[in-house]
Amino acid sequence: LEALRRSSPVPVSLEPMSTEMDGYFSRNQQRIAVREGMSEVQTVSAVIHEIAHIKLHNYEKAAEREGKEPEKEKDRHTEEVEAESISYAVCQYYGIETGGNSFGYIASWSQGKELPELRASLEVINKTAGNLIQDIDRNFRVVYILERSDYVLLHPQYVVRFHLLHL
């Protein structure tokens, strides 16, 4: 979970919430909240789903970063299909099985969508999932080194491991 937290552009917290939902991204507060007490698989899947929303559907912040006008917002159905598809793809990459939940969720949100809309989303899903996997892998390596080193000096381009000598 720490590698996911580091991959998220906003803070991630586990909180009590209704069993009707697994989590949410608050645009106003710029944070992710995920329901505490879920299985590890559900928690990871929900965090990735919400990170996907931030990466793709945080229109105002993306426009600020790029110095552009905000993109036209996508409809909620498209946003949910994209976020859950990215979560599914990323989880599959790491061998985490979420198909039982993801397929039904994607099917329910994609009802009534036309083929050109779904095709456009597939390009976005593929690119975003690939970028998120790279980011998670990089952050996992950092977490792995931090947990196994006596002392670590971090620099933006590299991580160096030092062992302190105990005399």
Side-chain angles (χ1 to χ4, degrees), residues 77-164:
H77 290 265
T78 300
E79 289 182 352
E80 292 302 324
V81 167
E82 289 177 350
E84 189 62 24
S85 296
I86 290 164
S87 179
Y88 173 77
V90 171
C91 285
Q92 282 296 116
Y93 176 83
Y94 291 109
I96 301 169
E97 182 52 51
T98 64
N101 291 333
S102 292
F103 293 146
Y105 190 86
I106 293 167
S108 69
W109 284 101
S110 62
Q111 286 181 345
K113 290 285 181 195
E114 299 296 323
L115 191 56
E117 291 174 284
L118 292 172
R119 186 170 287 132
S121 284
L122 284 176
E123 291 175 23
V124 169
I125 291 162
N126 186 42
K127 180 181 176 185
T128 306
N131 290 339
L132 188 51
I133 287 167
Q134 287 178 344
D135 199 35
I136 292 168
D137 281 349
R138 181 178 48 78
N139 283 306
F140 181 78
R141 284 191 298 274
V142 170
V143 169
Y144 181 84
I145 290 168
L146 285 172
E147 289 178 350
R148 281 150 187 80
S149 297
D150 295 325
Y151 177 76
V152 175
L153 173 64
L154 294 175
H155 186 275
Q157 277 114 12
Y158 54 86
V159 178
V160 181
R161 179 178 166 178
F162 291 95
H163 284 286
L164 296 176

Side-chain angles (χ1 to χ4, degrees), residues 50-61:
E50 299 308 331
I51 290 172
H53 276 305
I54 295 165
K55 301 247 182 213
L56 296 178
H57 312 129
N58 196 8
Y59 304 103
E60 297 82 19
K61 288 293 181 187

